Amino acid sequence: MNHIFYFARARLAKVMRRTSKTLAFCLAFVFAYPAFQGMAQPGKGYTRYVNPFIGTAPLTDSAILGYKLPEGWRSWAGLVYPGSALPNAMVQLSPITEFGSGAGYEYEDSVIHAFTHTNKGHWNLCNIPVLPVSGKADGQRAFGSRFSHKKESASPGYYQVFLEDYRINVKLTSTLRCGVHLYDFQSDKDRNILFDLSKGNDRVRRWKIAQAGANAVQGYQDVGEYTVYFYAQSSAPITELKTVDEGGKWGYSIARLTNGKTPVTLKVGLSFVSMENARENLAREVGTQSFEQVRQQGLRTWEAFLSKIEVSGGTEKQKEMFYSSLYRAVLWPALRSDVNGEYTDARGKVVKGDFSYYTVPSLWDTYRNKLVLLSIVSPRVTVDVIRSLIDMGDKTGFIPTFFHGDHAASFIAGSYMRGLRNFDVKNAYRLLLKNATVEGGTRPFISEYMSKGYISEPDIANPHVETKAKAGVSKTLEYAYDDYCVALLARELGDTANYRQFMQRSKNYRNVFDPGTRFMRGRLENGNWVKNFDPQYPYYEYMYREANAWQVSFFAPHDMTGLISLYGGPRKFESKLDSLFSVPWNPQHIARNVETMVGQYCHGNQPDHEAPFAYYFIGKPEKSQKMVDYILNNLYGLGEQGLALCGMDDAGEMSSWYVFSALGLYPYVAADPQYLVTVPLFKEVKWKLDNGKTLSIKRPGDGRDLKTIRVSGREQEGYFVPHDLFNRGGSVEILTTGR
């Protein structure tokens, strides 16, 4: 992917007609600055391994997906963006090839419609669309330009593309709250900037723009759930701001610039509070800095972050996938407070805080691993995310969830158990107790769960993938795990009565286990089993949330001993687990995000991501390792160019699974301060801790079957190592045999 784009070649051809001295200087410039290269900077730090395009390409192989894509479908694989962002920033400045798609950018597309300033990869955001346009722009209804991947590049904190139709080379970089654009127009006349404010991945209710001096415009997009404000400053004077149907569904504005040959820098400050704050964010974070100065600042930020984990001994592809995954793991949740400390709270009020305010994390997906990773690599951000959740809970009465379950319990309890203390844990605990006991809040059907020990389903004669119901089995399993997390906090805070109660509730997963079929199965209100039951058939929310019975039937990470006993002991559990990975997927069973199958196991979605590690609990780590190795080596970086992922990255969960598994430590129970030891991909890992100490993970042999674990020179009993290693440093040596 080390493309040298057309514009660089054209400039170089001109230079070759000049003196050899000038040629030497320009050649040095071209190869010194990665704007004239692809994504990598050969020999330059850790960012050279990051490929932001991984995850943007479609997954089309039916043998991997498990089914043939229906006509017109694009698999929900990756759904990531290649643009510029810093860790957990407010701004994600990225190209849009299709509004309404997962992250706005799809690698197979050939037209760029805009560059937007927010992104997540969940069919939302993509705010403040901007596009440089050359030529006469009067009377147009649609804007966009063809582009080629040969003239496109990206690296952490940077994106570049040549717009073929407009003959403009575009470069993007960003700070926490600002985006910086650099437009090199090949024509010195008819230079325009489009503000396409009626568009976004969230439906825009109202929008407004106005000129704010000779070189600036300001405005907002109101999407109902939030309003995002901007202040944009152009290096070239704006001669006219022409607006068509202001605030309307198809409206837009064109800023006409003065003629000139000098590239145009557009600096855009964002705020979710006010235009004044957007302007202040821009002044304080960018000010008079040049594009290159901002870009280099972002590069230093990413180098400092990525260098926290140094790996050696793997292949170049493994290093690329590892650092690309580590990069992708920390883009969300996103900052929402301004440089002056103000933010818009859950009630829509502007308040000023003494912490950085963040969005709700993608808790259903990322509690499993990504939020654990965040607590290790970015403890200050993690604490502020928790404080943000508590603030939301104080304002609304409940700590929020994301999509399903109540996994703020896992995130907050796990962070506290790992030693993060700079938040009001007693208030967090009070709110989590309310989540777990009061109807009408975070946990739907909690009254039924408390009275029956499970959540029932209606008996539907012919259920299908999109049948609407309670997802009662998945809720019961997840609430039981969340109860375990609440119990941990109760124990830590000395609340013995609630500790006992919630530990008892954490066994409720047993109530949806059908011993006759040995599956987690839906129950009716009267306690009978749902009659129409096919364990291979996937549902979005009938009995199961985005899963089938196979994929949820191994989920009780907090009580694996109890789960194994339900199956009749280790031998029968092993047999059932073997079947999970070997019973063929029925290609007629099509649920869009239940994809990338290994037997019935689905790595393209999250509900069964713990299952490959389950063999450890019957003393067969080698069987887990075989499956983990298969996933690491075959289900990431797919396709001819290695740019497809096996499923949605889901705000970093898929990436974090790779990071932990590649390093040889996995947070099997996200709330417990310990890690399951697996065999790392790399010979040696050096994890540089914030306190100046180092945790090293070594694999001296070439085998892939785990034999012995040594912690700081001493042989370890069992398969888990404590989180305290991330406080005091030390070494984990993994001795292997076999493959």
Side-chain angles (χ1 to χ4, degrees), residues 673-686:
Q674 60 179 7
Y675 304 89
L676 189 67
V677 176
T678 63
V679 180
L681 285 180
F682 306 102
K683 282 287 190 177
E684 185 172 4
V685 175
K686 291 183 180 178

Side-chain angles (χ1 to χ4, degrees), residues 7-52:
F7 194 66
R9 291 202 306 265
R11 285 289 177 90
L12 187 57
K14 291 181 181 179
V15 169
M16 292 180 70
R17 294 192 293 268
R18 300 178 182 174
T19 66
S20 59
K21 182 177 180 180
T22 304
L23 174 60
F25 169 80
C26 289
L27 282 171
F29 180 84
V30 165
F31 289 102
Y33 288 94
F36 291 90
Q37 301 181 30
M39 287 152 291
Q41 299 178 61
K44 299 267 189 182
Y46 297 89
T47 54
R48 76 184 189 273
Y49 291 116
V50 176
N51 185 343

Side-chain angles (χ1 to χ4, degrees), residues 444-642:
F445 313 110
I446 190 62
S447 297
E448 181 182 28
Y449 173 81
M450 290 191 294
S451 64
K452 295 178 179 176
Y454 67 91
I455 296 171
S456 66
E457 290 287 359
D459 197 12
I460 297 175
N462 296 295
H464 55 85
V465 170
E466 297 191 18
T467 292
K468 303 293 184 184
K470 299 179 182 178
V473 175
S474 291
K475 280 188 174 65
T476 300
L477 296 174
E478 293 181 36
Y479 287 1
Y481 168 72
D482 296 329
D483 287 342
Y484 170 78
C485 301
V486 174
L488 292 182
L489 273 183
R491 185 189 66 193
E492 293 299 302
L493 297 176
D495 186 352
T496 304
N498 272 321
Y499 169 71
R500 290 173 179 168
Q501 177 187 356
F502 280 90
M503 282 301 290
Q504 183 62 39
R505 281 174 46 164
S506 76
K507 309 295 184 183
N508 281 344
Y509 71 89
R510 299 176 177 180
N511 297 331
V512 290
F513 183 81
D514 173 14
T517 61
R518 295 194 303 157
F519 285 107
M520 300 293 178
R521 182 176 179 179
R523 300 185 75 164
L524 306 176
E525 285 188 0
N526 64 10
N528 293 337
W529 299 110
V530 166
K531 297 182 184 67
N532 294 291
F533 177 68
D534 178 355
Q536 295 187 28
Y537 194 85
Y539 299 99
Y540 289 142
E541 56 181 291
Y542 182 58
M543 295 190 284
Y544 313 108
R545 173 60 83 179
E546 297 184 2
N548 67 12
W550 278 102
Q551 291 149 14
V552 305
S553 290
F554 300 92
F555 184 82
H558 57 291
D559 187 22
M560 290 301 290
T561 300
L563 180 66
I564 290 167
S565 70
L566 289 181
Y567 282 94
R571 184 179 62 82
K572 291 183 178 180
F573 181 80
E574 180 181 6
S575 175
K576 193 74 168 183
L577 195 56
D578 287 345
S579 296
L580 170 69
F581 297 109
S582 61
V583 172
W585 182 259
N586 185 337
Q588 301 306 310
H589 291 170
I590 300 176
R592 196 163 195 158
N593 53 342
V594 182
E595 59 192 18
T596 305
M597 315 309 299
V598 183
Q600 295 293 308
Y601 172 75
C602 172
H603 198 70
N605 206 19
Q606 286 72 30
D608 55 354
H609 272 190
E610 290 80 14
F613 304 97
Y615 288 108
Y616 271 80
F617 298 92
I618 55 171
K620 300 286 183 73
E622 68 281 359
K623 296 185 79 169
S624 279
Q625 193 62 54
K626 184 177 181 180
M627 185 53 57
V628 169
D629 283 347
Y630 175 82
I631 294 168
L632 289 172
N633 294 323
N634 294 280
L635 300 183
Y636 287 80
L638 300 165
E640 291 183 8
Q641 297 167 298

Side-chain angles (χ1 to χ4, degrees), residues 709-711 714-721:
I709 303 167
R710 291 178 182 162
V711 177
R714 299 182 64 179
E715 190 167 321
Q716 177 87 358
E717 292 185 10
Y719 300 118
F720 286 88
V721 296

Side-chain angles (χ1 to χ4, degrees), residues 269-567:
L270 250 59
S271 169
F272 287 78
V273 173
S274 68
M275 285 183 280
E276 292 76 14
N277 280 16
R279 184 171 185 170
E280 183 180 3
N281 289 342
L282 183 63
R284 290 179 54 181
E285 287 192 356
V286 177
T288 61
Q289 291 184 91
S290 68
F291 177 92
E292 190 60 32
Q293 286 174 318
V294 174
R295 182 189 171 193
Q296 290 300 318
Q297 184 181 67
L299 181 63
R300 289 191 294 270
T301 296
W302 278 113
E303 282 293 342
F305 173 78
L306 296 170
S307 67
K308 291 183 177 184
I309 306 177
E310 178 185 335
V311 300
S312 58
T315 66
E316 290 300 294
K317 180 179 179 180
Q318 288 170 337
K319 290 177 182 177
E320 178 187 61
M321 186 56 63
F322 174 78
Y323 283 108
S324 297
S325 298
L326 182 59
Y327 160 82
R328 191 69 65 189
V330 294
L331 297 179
W332 193 266
L335 182 65
R336 285 295 179 262
S337 55
D338 295 323
V339 292
N340 62 9
E342 291 183 343
Y343 61 91
T344 301
D345 70 9
R347 293 181 298 192
K349 305 295 185 182
V350 175
V351 296
K352 192 166 187 175
D354 59 355
F355 64 98
S356 294
Y357 188 79
Y358 288 90
T359 58
V360 177
S362 288
L363 289 163
W364 190 55
D365 315 306
T366 61
Y367 82 91
R368 304 168 192 273
N369 46 41
K370 178 261 182 66
L371 292 175
V372 177
L373 180 62
L374 189 71
S375 73
I376 299 170
V377 298
S378 300
R380 181 176 297 179
V381 170
T382 302
V383 167
D384 281 348
V385 173
I386 293 172
R387 294 182 71 182
S388 301
L389 290 172
I390 295 170
D391 186 82
M392 296 172 198
D394 284 338
K395 305 296 173 58
T396 65
F398 297 90
I399 287 182
T401 190
F402 175 81
F403 194 60
H404 206 252
D406 182 21
H407 302 316
S410 178
F411 173 41
I412 294 172
S415 298
Y416 189 80
M417 298 295 290
R418 288 178 173 84
L420 299 186
R421 293 290 190 269
N422 296 326
F423 62 92
D424 187 347
V425 67
K426 291 184 179 180
N427 193 26
Y429 175 60
R430 175 187 65 83
L431 289 164
L432 289 173
L433 281 177
K434 188 177 179 184
N435 278 13
T437 56
V438 177
E439 193 69 67
T442 301
R443 297 199 196 188
F445 313 110
I446 190 62
S447 297
E448 181 182 28
Y449 173 81
M450 290 191 294
S451 64
K452 295 178 179 176
Y454 67 91
I455 296 171
S456 66
E457 290 287 359
D459 197 12
I460 297 175
N462 296 295
H464 55 85
V465 170
E466 297 191 18
T467 292
K468 303 293 184 184
K470 299 179 182 178
V473 175
S474 291
K475 280 188 174 65
T476 300
L477 296 174
E478 293 181 36
Y479 287 1
Y481 168 72
D482 296 329
D483 287 342
Y484 170 78
C485 301
V486 174
L488 292 182
L489 273 183
R491 185 189 66 193
E492 293 299 302
L493 297 176
D495 186 352
T496 304
N498 272 321
Y499 169 71
R500 290 173 179 168
Q501 177 187 356
F502 280 90
M503 282 301 290
Q504 183 62 39
R505 281 174 46 164
S506 76
K507 309 295 184 183
N508 281 344
Y509 71 89
R510 299 176 177 180
N511 297 331
V512 290
F513 183 81
D514 173 14
T517 61
R518 295 194 303 157
F519 285 107
M520 300 293 178
R521 182 176 179 179
R523 300 185 75 164
L524 306 176
E525 285 188 0
N526 64 10
N528 293 337
W529 299 110
V530 166
K531 297 182 184 67
N532 294 291
F533 177 68
D534 178 355
Q536 295 187 28
Y537 194 85
Y539 299 99
Y540 289 142
E541 56 181 291
Y542 182 58
M543 295 190 284
Y544 313 108
R545 173 60 83 179
E546 297 184 2
N548 67 12
W550 278 102
Q551 291 149 14
V552 305
S553 290
F554 300 92
F555 184 82
H558 57 291
D559 187 22
M560 290 301 290
T561 300
L563 180 66
I564 290 167
S565 70
L566 289 181
Y567 282 94

